[in-house]
Amino acid sequence: MSDSPFGFGLPPEDGDDGKKKGSEGSGEGGRNPADPFGSLTGGAGGENPFAAMFGSLNPNDLGAAFQQLGQMLSYEGGPVNWDMAKDIARQTVAQGTADGTKDASVSPGERSAVEEAVRLADLWLDGVTSLPSGASTSVAWSRAEWVEATLPAWKQLVDPVAERVGAAMGDVLPEEMQAMAGPLLGMMRSMGGAMFGQQIGQAVGVLAGEVVGSTDIGLPLGPAGKAALLPVNIEAFGKDLGVGKDEVRLYLALREAAHQRLFAHVPWLRSHLFGAVEGYARGITVDTSKLEDVVGRLDPQHPEQLQEALQQGMFQPEDTPAQKAALARLETALALVEGWVDAVVHEAAKPRLTSADALRETLRRRRASGGPAEQTFATLIGLQLRPRRLRDASRLWASLTDARGLDGRDALWEHPDMLPTADDLDDPDGFVHREQLDFSELDKMLGEAAGGRPTLKKDSEAPKGDVGPGDAKPGDAAGAAEEEGDSDK
């Protein structure tokens, strides 16, 4: 995937001499001014943004190519051309992955194996978390089916970023010039939507060749309550691990089922994560001086000039307290989700799977070396996740399990304000001991205010497993006290 900031454009290819192809000038390897579409007519065009959409065409294909180009320039939808994104993602999937693995329809046997793995995984998880099963159904997807099923979530994630950038592009011209430049601005919006669609389609298509389920990047990308695994990718993932296929599938089913429990029974979590992405998007700024220069020199016959400008870092995150807070909030929330899943899956798998430790470490290294989450967030919104946060979060959840039991640990998901912060991840043991509060006096006050209502037990007094889904927890006492205070105002 591209390393370009915020995922705009493809990185230029390098020639044998290390220089960029399609450099300025009309010499060998340069762009022919009379041929704005480069590779469409056989020119070099290494930086041509349309090459990925049209490929290598012969003259007989030019009619279809120009028809597609016309459709692109006539696009009048939202900030992203999602029809184009979907088409490019499907094309990328059809090409197969770098190791030569092609997509394939799921066989009845594979579907049955996935359903059995998820069923067994849910049974094992019942003993290591107080959250009940969150998967009402389990499915086996091909890569193409994963693309179709996850596009609505990608739309929710990416549209805020694209809309912010598109608004900045439209506002760069003085108001008195915007009416005169109406056709140009319309073309820029269409081109912007197309370029977003192109880049997102490529990103999602490549990701479809790597993910093993619907929650690999720590976000609920698939439909609610549907645990999904990709048999073709699971086989590729376990190919060189020296671990049996059934054991690999079951371990990955444990992770998928654990994610499903968390997102199903923590109702605020999805909106919290997606809201953090929107908050991050609001902090995106545009180098207006660079954009003004590009707009002033833009030649309608060379729309690829805008693509080149986008590749050169026109869009950068703003280094402000608000932007840093949004970034930290998203990174920390994702780390807590992944750390909780890592901890509960390890607790469920270690006594039962001989390769549990090896599989756990493989998945951790996959993330640390730039796995699906790292690459996709970096491509789409410029977000770099910090792998060390996952290990810290996993250690914190394990410590909480030892100190409070399953119910006390999982009760922290009742409200985002109860969760550890980024600073707490640096000192998980400190968080565990610091949060062991004595609620006896508060319980007494609440009991008296309620006319003798039974008081809450301390954590230390409550036997392990004594707190049920409908019982009060320490967080409830704090919330009740806050409500009591509000009523007196």
Side-chain angles (χ1 to χ4, degrees):
M1 291 188 190
S2 167
D3 292 328
S4 304
F6 302 101
F8 291 91
L10 295 170
E13 299 177 1
D14 293 335
D16 295 336
D17 59 355
K19 296 181 180 179
K20 296 178 181 178
K21 295 180 181 179
S23 58
E24 294 182 1
S26 57
E28 184 176 353
R31 185 182 298 111
N32 182 353
D35 181 11
F37 301 108
S39 62
L40 297 182
T41 55
E47 297 176 358
N48 194 318
F50 307 114
M53 290 178 280
F54 299 134
S56 299
L57 301 178
N58 57 51
N60 294 330
D61 296 324
L62 283 177
F66 281 110
Q67 182 179 6
Q68 186 171 354
L69 178 60
Q71 293 172 349
M72 179 186 70
L73 293 176
S74 63
Y75 173 71
E76 296 180 353
V80 178
N81 189 331
W82 285 103
D83 290 337
M84 177 176 290
K86 178 180 174 181
D87 290 344
I88 291 178
R90 293 293 299 263
Q91 293 168 14
T92 303
V93 164
Q95 293 170 3
T97 53
D99 62 0
T101 305
K102 297 286 187 179
D103 193 21
S105 299
V106 177
S107 69
E110 290 173 329
R111 186 173 293 106
S112 176
V114 165
E115 291 173 354
E116 176 62 21
V118 173
R119 184 198 65 78
L120 184 57
D122 257 336
L123 184 64
W124 289 2
L125 289 172
D126 283 339
V128 297
T129 175
S130 62
L131 300 180
S133 174
S136 56
T137 58
S138 56
V139 293
W141 283 339
S142 66
R143 293 167 178 169
E145 288 172 328
W146 182 90
V147 169
E148 295 277 355
T150 62
L151 273 179
W154 290 120
K155 190 175 189 298
Q156 187 176 352
L157 277 170
V158 177
D159 270 352
V161 180
E163 187 173 357
R164 174 69 189 92
V165 172
M169 291 173 65
D171 293 342
V172 73
L173 287 179
E175 186 175 348
E176 60 273 13
M177 293 182 61
Q178 289 189 16
M180 297 174 59
L184 176 60
L185 291 176
M187 186 189 76
M188 288 178 63
R189 282 192 291 269
S190 296
M191 288 293 298
M195 287 184 288
F196 263 113
Q198 176 193 356
Q199 186 68 22
I200 292 164
Q202 290 169 339
V204 172
V206 172
L207 189 61
E210 300 175 349
V211 295
V212 294
S214 71
T215 56
D216 269 26
I217 69 169
L219 291 171
L221 296 179
K226 184 171 288 188
L229 295 176
L230 281 72
V232 64
N233 288 355
I234 290 176
E235 185 170 353
F237 171 79
K239 185 176 181 180
D240 299 320
L241 296 181
V243 180
K245 183 190 302 185
D246 291 343
E247 192 162 339
V248 172
R249 184 193 304 112
L250 184 51
Y251 190 88
L252 296 175
L254 280 166
R255 289 183 53 82
E256 177 73 9
H259 277 103
Q260 293 293 336
R261 287 182 182 229
L262 200 56
F263 288 116
H265 299 291
V266 182
W268 55 264
L269 184 56
R270 179 186 175 92
S271 60
H272 180 74
L273 291 170
F274 282 72
V277 174
E278 292 181 9
Y280 181 77
R282 284 194 295 269
I284 295 173
T285 57
V286 177
D287 185 343
T288 55
S289 62
K290 184 179 292 187
L291 186 54
E292 287 170 357
D293 181 60
V294 171
V295 172
R297 294 185 293 105
L298 186 62
D299 182 351
Q301 292 186 347
H302 295 274
E304 70 273 12
Q305 291 175 357
L306 182 59
Q307 174 84 352
E308 293 168 1
L310 294 172
Q311 288 179 226
Q312 295 169 6
M314 184 182 299
F315 305 98
Q316 299 293 339
E318 185 178 0
D319 189 18
T320 65
Q323 181 71 351
K324 289 179 179 179
L327 187 61
R329 185 168 65 253
L330 179 57
E331 290 177 338
T332 301
L334 286 172
L336 290 173
V337 169
E338 289 299 287
W340 184 88
V341 169
D342 180 76
V344 299
V345 167
H346 183 68
E347 191 175 351
K350 188 170 177 58
R352 300 177 174 94
L353 298 179
T354 57
S355 301
D357 289 332
L359 289 169
R360 183 191 202 188
E361 189 59 28
T362 297
L363 286 163
R364 283 180 165 185
R365 292 182 180 226
R366 186 177 184 231
R367 172 66 60 83
S369 62
E374 292 282 324
Q375 295 175 355
T376 301
F377 275 97
T379 299
L380 298 184
I381 59 175
L383 174 64
Q384 294 287 349
L385 300 180
R386 291 171 290 177
R388 69 181 182 87
R389 301 283 80 184
L390 186 153
R391 293 179 185 268
D392 294 338
S394 181
R395 190 167 74 250
L396 183 146
W397 290 118
S399 297
L400 284 168
T401 305
D402 295 337
R404 306 187 187 184
L406 305 181
D407 296 305
R409 177 200 66 196
D410 295 343
L412 291 176
W413 288 107
E414 289 182 353
H415 193 277
D417 290 344
M418 298 175 65
L419 290 176
T421 64
D423 290 338
D424 294 324
L425 292 181
D426 293 325
D427 182 21
D429 293 332
F431 173 83
V432 171
H433 296 300
R434 185 169 63 251
E435 291 295 309
Q436 292 285 353
L437 302 177
D438 184 356
F439 288 95
S440 57
E441 291 300 321
L442 181 59
D443 291 343
K444 183 178 179 181
M445 292 170 57
L446 291 174
E448 291 173 352
R453 183 180 60 188
T455 59
L456 296 172
K457 296 180 180 179
K458 299 179 190 177
D459 282 351
S460 58
E461 294 175 352
K464 185 174 181 180
D466 187 55
V467 182
D471 296 331
K473 302 180 181 65
D476 296 329
E482 188 175 18
E483 292 176 5
E484 194 76 21
D486 292 341
S487 64
D488 292 336
K489 293 179 182 178

